[in-house]
Amino acid sequence: TMGGDTSIVVVCFLEILMNPLSLNNVETIPTRRFSCGIPEVDQLLGKSTVCDVEGNPIGEEWGIPRGKLHVFCGDAGVGKTKFYSMITILLVEDLKRNVVIFQKEMSGGEYKEMLLNMYRSMGRTPHNMDRISFEQCKDLARQVDIIQAVQPDLVIDDSFNLTHTPN
C-alpha cells in the first residue's frame, strides 16, 4: 500500500497523463544564461533569446542557465572534477564570477593544489581565487545557508550521489 503523499503524487501524475497539455497552449519563458568561458560548452548548454520590456528580441545569451540544475555524470576518473575546475578558473578569472564548490572527496588543501596545477596546465596565474568558496559539506541545509550567504553565480556539488546504496 502507498502512503498519503505517494498517493497524491501518483494521482497528480496520472491526471497529467490523462489530460496532456498541448504545446500550443504553453507560454514560453525565457531562460537567462551566462557564458562558462568555453564557446563550445556554451553551445552544448544552449541559447536563449533576450527580449526588451515589450517582448521584442534584442539578442541571444549562450551558456549556463541561471537557476537551473545540470548533472554531469560519468565513471570515476573520467575528468568531471577537472572539467568543472577548468570552467571555474575561466569564470573567476575572465568573467569575474563567484563560484561555490562542495567537494566531498578532497580536502580544501588537496583541491587547491589540484586547482593550482590546473591553472599551470592552462598557462594561467591565479588572481581571483577569492571568488571561489570551498566547503567539504554533505549537509544540504548547511549548503543552502552557504549559497544564500555567498550568492554565487555558479554552485558545483562534486561527488553528488544520485544512487542509494543500502547498508
Side-chain angles (χ1 to χ4, degrees):
T1 64
M2 291 188 263
D5 290 341
T6 306
S7 298
I8 292 170
V9 170
V10 170
V11 168
C12 290
F13 182 68
L14 289 174
E15 181 68 24
I16 290 168
L17 288 178
M18 301 300 278
N19 299 306
L21 185 61
S22 168
L23 282 179
N24 289 333
N25 299 324
V26 175
E27 282 190 46
T28 59
I29 300 172
T31 300
R32 297 302 314 257
R33 297 173 182 272
F34 63 93
S35 174
C36 73
I38 306 171
E40 293 84 359
V41 175
D42 286 341
Q43 288 177 354
L44 287 173
L45 294 170
K47 75 173 179 175
S48 297
T49 302
V50 179
C51 297
D52 63 18
V53 292
E54 283 103 33
N56 302 312
I58 57 173
E60 297 174 338
E61 291 178 329
W62 289 86
I64 301 169
R66 297 176 187 270
K68 305 293 182 190
L69 174 68
H70 284 271
V71 179
F72 293 94
C73 302
D75 292 332
V78 298
K80 297 179 299 295
T81 300
K82 286 184 181 180
F83 174 70
Y84 83 68
S85 296
M86 181 175 62
I87 288 175
T88 296
I89 290 169
L90 294 171
L91 286 173
V92 301
E93 297 298 337
D94 297 350
L95 303 172
K96 309 300 186 256
R97 302 277 186 183
N98 297 314
V99 178
V100 170
I101 297 169
F102 298 110
Q103 168 60 261
K104 294 152 190 90
E105 297 177 352
M106 292 185 220
S107 69
E110 290 169 322
Y111 183 76
K112 184 175 181 180
E113 179 64 25
M114 189 273 308
L115 195 63
L116 289 171
N117 287 333
M118 178 72 67
Y119 270 96
R120 285 189 279 280
S121 73
M122 294 171 70
R124 314 274 313 234
T125 303
H127 297 288
N128 294 309
M129 286 186 76
D130 60 322
R131 292 183 168 275
I132 303 170
S133 299
F134 177 92
E135 282 289 329
Q136 219 179 4
C137 173
K138 293 181 183 179
D139 179 57
L140 185 59
R142 173 80 177 118
Q143 289 178 347
V144 169
D145 290 343
I146 292 166
I147 292 165
Q148 289 175 337
V150 176
Q151 295 289 303
D153 297 291
L154 182 66
V155 177
I156 297 169
D157 190 337
D158 193 12
S159 308
F160 184 78
N161 190 348
L162 295 174
T163 61
H164 172 70
T165 307
N167 293 342

